[in-house]
Each structure stands twice: as C-alpha cells, then as structure tokens.
Amino acid sequence: PEMNFNSCLAESVHQLKDAGNRQVKLHDELGTKNVGIGGMPSDARSDKDALFAFIDKFNEMAKIYVEAGFKALTYHNHSFEFRKIDGKTIMDHLIERLDPKYTAFVLDSFWAHIGGEDVRALIERLDGRVACVHLKDLDPCFRYELADGTSMSYLPKRIEVGSGNMKFEGIIKTAEACGCKYFTVEDEHYTTGESYDSMRISAENIKAKFLEK
C-alpha cells in the first residue's frame, strides 16, 4: 500500500561525490528534502588541511543539493568533533567554515554531551542551523563484561530515551526555540535485547515526560 512517508537519509561522503546525478535522483524519488552525512574521513579528524579540504568539498556538494531543490546538506556529529585541531574544536571549525546558506546540522545530543559540550548552549550557538536533533539516553556507568570473561569495565552506554541522565526537556525546548522542527530517536543499543521493545520504551517515555500535556 502507498504510505505518506518522508525519509531522511545519511549518506557517506563517497556517495555524495555523485551528488550531481544518481544521489540527487535517488533522494528525490524517496520524497525527502533532508539529506546529509554522519561523519567525515578519518584523516580529517586529526589533520587541519584534511579537515578544511573536507569542509570545502562539503560546501561544494551542499550547493549542488540546494540548487537541486533540497533544503540543505546536513552534518551529523559524534564525539570526535569536540577534539581540538589548531587550538579549536573540529566543531568550531565546522560552525565557522560550513556555509549556512547551503548547510545545516543534525545535532546528536548524546555525542555532544559525551564530547564535554553544554548541549543547550551549543544549540543556541547554532540558532537557525539545526535541522534535526538526535535523541538517545545515557547510562553513565554501565557494567560491561569483557570477552575474556574475567574482568569488566564501567563505561557510558547508549540506552532508551527517558531512561537515563540526559536532560531532554531543556534540550528539546531550547532546540524548538532555535527553530528546530525535527527530533529523531536514534536507538542503536537495546537494553531489552529487542529493537521494537526499545522503541516502545522510548516512545512511552517521550509521551509521558517530554510532550506538552
């Protein structure tokens, strides 16, 4: 059956190099005007020249997409963007050098928090440039049993929205005030062991805790 469904896809930078034809056509057929990538090449994460070359290519591709009718080309962060290169974080460089006329951000609130950022302050800094906020929650001290079966480690873990320590009420309000219209539950690790059970937990928590009554 036909469904009224708009897709938002993340592509690799290699696929974006084909933006002039195949990828633009594919996303147009899928009915989405939101398209972006979820990272950058490994060398751009540690070398300033490689980072700036990536940003220049991203701006070039973004212009192609926008001129083809898309809203913007979005960049999705993880935690490595908060490492410093040449005295500034990678995110600082992205914010300063990506062209706001053609680009926007998919802000992953979990990874920004792991990177040591004040998530709400970052959203305010990006006022009008956040196309979507990704939501996943944080267990700050999850017990991992290691493969050797004899030791364990306590590390942060991604869990269902509303089940951990992320301050989503304030994050959502700030994002809405700064023009963000879309929020996505990015559920990659399931405390239940079942993806649909985790989706249900996140959905129920969002309805109970974060939606205006």
Side-chain angles (χ1 to χ4, degrees):
E2 185 174 337
M3 299 174 65
N4 184 17
F5 177 77
N6 288 331
S7 171
C8 181
L9 297 180
E11 301 289 349
S12 76
V13 68
H14 302 293
Q15 290 172 312
L16 287 177
K17 290 178 180 178
D18 191 27
N21 42 70
R22 188 174 64 86
Q23 287 299 316
V24 168
K25 182 180 179 181
L26 170 62
H27 288 85
D28 202 38
E29 290 174 349
L30 290 171
T32 180
K33 294 301 179 184
N34 299 296
V35 60
I37 65 171
M40 62 179 66
S42 57
D43 59 345
R45 305 178 188 191
S46 58
D47 179 77
K48 183 179 72 171
D49 291 338
L51 172 61
F52 287 1
F54 165 76
I55 293 173
D56 289 344
K57 173 60 69 173
F58 195 93
N59 282 328
E60 178 187 332
M61 294 295 100
K63 188 172 185 290
I64 292 172
Y65 271 89
V66 172
E67 290 180 348
F70 292 83
K71 293 180 180 179
L73 185 62
T74 61
Y75 182 85
H76 172 288
N77 69 281
H78 293 82
S79 58
F80 67 80
E81 288 88 357
F82 302 99
R83 299 177 61 189
K84 289 188 176 181
I85 294 180
D86 198 33
K88 296 181 179 181
T89 68
I90 293 174
M91 181 61 81
D92 289 333
H93 291 299
L94 291 170
I95 292 171
E96 292 171 6
R97 300 178 74 92
L98 286 177
D99 189 339
K101 184 177 179 181
Y102 302 112
T103 68
F105 288 85
V106 171
L107 183 70
D108 192 304
S109 56
F110 173 93
W111 286 119
H113 177 76
I114 290 293
E117 284 293 301
D118 179 331
V119 179
R120 295 176 70 177
L122 178 59
I123 293 170
E124 289 173 343
R125 184 181 176 192
L126 289 168
D127 190 359
R129 299 179 68 183
V130 178
C132 178
V133 172
H134 276 193
L135 308 176
K136 48 181 169 273
D137 222 326
L138 169 68
D139 180 343
C141 195
F142 182 81
R143 174 179 167 172
Y144 289 89
E145 294 186 1
L146 302 184
D148 59 17
T150 61
S151 60
M152 63 193 69
S153 181
Y154 291 88
L155 295 168
K157 179 179 175 63
R158 291 166 278 180
I159 60 175
E160 292 82 5
V161 174
S163 300
N165 287 12
M166 294 292 292
K167 307 301 183 184
F168 285 125
E169 184 174 5
I171 290 170
I172 292 169
K173 286 182 178 179
T174 300
E176 288 178 332
C178 291
C180 180
K181 296 181 179 180
Y182 301 103
F183 298 85
T184 300
V185 175
E186 190 177 31
D187 195 354
E188 304 154 313
H189 293 257
Y190 319 119
T191 62
T192 64
E194 295 290 340
S195 59
Y196 285 108
D197 288 339
S198 289
M199 290 167 60
R200 175 184 52 77
I201 292 169
S202 290
E204 290 176 353
N205 285 340
I206 289 170
K207 291 177 182 178
K209 299 179 180 182
F210 308 127
L211 293 184
E212 293 185 2
K213 303 295 190 294

